[in-house]
Amino acid sequence: MAKEAGRKGSRRIVHPPMPPKLKLFRPVNWYSGAMIEPVGEYVSHILRELGRLGLQVRDIERHDRPPNTKTVLSDLIGWLSDRPGEAFAKLFNWQTLDFAQVRSRLEKDRLARPRIEVSAHITKMNNLSVRWHPGGWKLTDFDWHRADHHYSNLITHRKWREPPDFHWFVGDEDPTFDNRPSNELTVSLNIASRLMSLMRLIL
């Protein structure tokens, strides 16, 4: 039994050090009271929590994890910074729009926008590939007899049931190791799975 401290021959009682306080992320619904859906809101929440806790992005990323979770937050930030790049810009390129067709639709609906179709599939590398086409694309057939077709304008290669809002469209190129189809909106990043991986890492 330890003797009273301060007396001759007594042993000092040494208390074990207090365990460090855990730096916990607040739940994503802390700020709004409801689950937030847009990817940007999740990333914003995580960055705010990192700042509050005095942490950096590298503090929650580890390179010894499986490849799809090594730099998940950095990947999401990178995707948001240049999303979705050239393919997205083509949706608003005035040089490819058929203004006469768009104007005729605006006369009926002043809020009309250029019509597009969006498709998605999982690639062999287990990534989500999302592409856009002019509205009505799925209902078209290849026109073997059209004489005015242009080799790079896919609109002139098709039979359209209703005129599209674009007079020029290029896309669906075969992907290579460093290039993707020019109408692909999501490149080599499955946002949903990356986001879920990120939430598992910090919760």
Side-chain angles (χ1 to χ4, degrees):
M1 184 174 180
K3 297 182 180 179
E4 185 179 348
R7 291 189 177 182
K8 187 176 181 181
S10 64
R11 290 181 298 170
R12 178 176 297 178
I13 299 176
V14 179
H15 298 284
M18 295 293 292
K21 292 184 178 180
L22 295 178
K23 294 186 175 183
L24 298 178
F25 274 70
R26 294 170 177 171
V28 72
N29 60 354
W30 176 276
Y31 297 98
S32 64
M35 291 300 292
I36 306 169
E37 294 183 0
V39 175
E41 293 296 334
Y42 282 107
V43 174
S44 176
H45 168 77
I46 293 166
L47 293 178
R48 280 183 291 180
E49 287 299 288
L50 287 175
R52 182 179 66 84
L53 297 172
L55 300 174
Q56 299 185 30
V57 172
R58 65 173 179 265
D59 293 326
I60 62 172
E61 294 186 333
R62 286 169 39 193
H63 289 267
D64 58 345
R65 292 192 178 105
N68 65 318
T69 61
K70 282 183 179 179
T71 56
V72 58
L73 180 55
S74 298
D75 290 340
L76 284 171
I77 294 174
W79 181 80
L80 287 170
S81 66
D82 55 11
R83 172 195 64 173
E86 183 180 353
F88 187 77
K90 287 184 177 180
L91 299 179
F92 305 99
N93 184 358
W94 63 271
Q95 294 177 316
T96 65
L97 287 171
D98 186 338
F99 284 116
Q101 176 65 20
V102 174
R103 188 183 301 112
S104 66
R105 294 181 54 241
L106 285 171
E107 293 174 354
K108 301 175 183 178
D109 180 7
R110 59 190 298 267
L111 298 178
R113 298 289 186 272
R115 295 166 298 174
I116 66 169
E117 295 174 357
V118 178
S119 61
H121 75 280
I122 304 297
T123 68
K124 294 180 180 179
M125 299 300 292
N126 201 31
N127 289 312
L128 178 65
S129 176
V130 179
R131 302 187 188 187
W132 77 272
H133 297 84
W137 178 268
K138 291 182 180 179
L139 300 177
T140 63
D141 297 311
F142 193 86
D143 192 346
W144 296 97
H145 304 290
R146 188 165 176 173
D148 64 340
H149 69 84
H150 189 281
Y151 73 95
S152 63
N153 183 9
L154 299 185
I155 286 180
T156 60
H157 290 214
R158 320 291 296 188
K159 294 179 181 178
W160 295 84
R161 300 187 184 183
E162 184 178 349
D165 292 337
F166 299 83
H167 64 76
W168 193 277
F169 172 71
V170 178
D172 286 347
E173 300 89 351
D174 291 330
T176 63
F177 72 96
D178 61 348
N179 286 296
R180 307 294 299 176
S182 59
N183 62 321
E184 187 175 56
L185 298 175
T186 305
V187 181
S188 301
L189 179 60
N190 187 329
I191 295 298
S193 67
R194 293 287 178 113
L195 187 56
M196 292 302 296
S197 298
L198 176 60
M199 299 310 293
R200 284 196 296 269
L201 294 180
I202 64 174
L203 295 180

